[in-house]
């Protein structure tokens, strides 16, 4: 069974997770692999991870997210997260990864944020 789901909505590759707890090392390897394989599918260079339903993840999973972030940067893919549970957000804050990742509240806001340019855009 896949660890993630993917679909393209408004030129954005939308990725969801099939597990509420991502703790098992084999599953984490699978999630990491599937996330990396999904990056080339983001043909419009926009990828959104929706954490809806994910209540816990291990530190090993967070390492996979950091690696995904690096992979996206190399390939010029914009990566954003949304619907991060308070438990997972707490881990991001403790590890200061909330500064590294672009974390948006809801899916709609996150999707809209891809089109926003900077001050001078």
């Amino acid at each position: 069974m896949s660890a993630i789901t993917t679909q393209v909505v408004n030129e954005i590759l939308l990725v969801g997770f099939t597990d509420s707890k991502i703790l098992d090392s084999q599953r984490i390897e699978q999630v990491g692999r599937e996330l990396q394989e999904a990056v080339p599918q983001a043909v419009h260079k926009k990828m959104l991870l929706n954490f809806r339903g994910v209540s816990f993840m291990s530190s090993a999973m967070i390492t996979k997210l950091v690696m995904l972030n690096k992979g996206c940067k190399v390939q010029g893919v914009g990566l954003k997260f949304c619907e991060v549970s308070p438990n997972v957000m707490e881990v991001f804050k403790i590890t200061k990864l909330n500064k590294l990742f672009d974390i948006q509240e809801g899916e709609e806001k996150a999707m809209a944020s891809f089109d926003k340019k900077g001050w001078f855009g």
Side-chain angles (χ1 to χ4, degrees):
M1 187 176 113
S2 259
I4 64 169
T5 60
T6 58
Q7 63 181 16
V8 176
V9 181
N10 300 335
E11 300 187 343
I12 299 167
L13 180 66
L14 185 58
V15 179
F17 296 89
T18 56
D19 300 329
S20 62
K21 294 180 172 79
I22 308 173
L23 303 168
D24 171 71
S25 63
Q26 278 184 310
R27 195 62 170 171
I28 290 164
E29 285 304 314
Q30 182 182 356
V31 172
R33 188 173 58 253
E34 288 181 20
L35 286 173
Q36 292 293 346
E37 289 167 0
V39 175
Q41 293 174 37
V43 290
H44 297 284
K45 304 298 182 192
K46 300 171 186 173
M47 186 170 177
L48 175 61
L49 296 193
N50 188 324
F51 285 82
R52 182 186 302 129
V54 177
S55 52
F56 294 102
M57 64 173 65
S58 74
S59 56
M61 183 60 218
I62 289 168
T63 303
K64 297 293 181 196
L65 294 175
V66 171
M67 288 166 55
L68 174 69
N69 190 52
K70 283 182 182 163
C72 283
K73 275 197 171 48
V74 167
Q75 295 183 46
V77 174
L79 176 66
K80 296 179 188 272
F81 296 174
C82 71
E83 299 195 27
V84 176
S85 75
N87 289 337
V88 174
M89 186 56 123
E90 193 58 35
V91 175
F92 286 159
K93 284 179 179 166
I94 290 166
T95 55
K96 302 259 190 288
L97 289 172
N98 59 322
K99 305 274 190 257
L100 174 71
F101 300 137
D102 185 342
I103 304 171
Q104 304 285 323
E105 270 182 56
E107 186 174 289
E108 218 168 279
K109 266 188 183 169
M111 291 179 92
S113 74
F114 276 106
D115 297 326
K116 287 194 173 68
K117 302 285 185 271
W119 288 351
F120 306 107

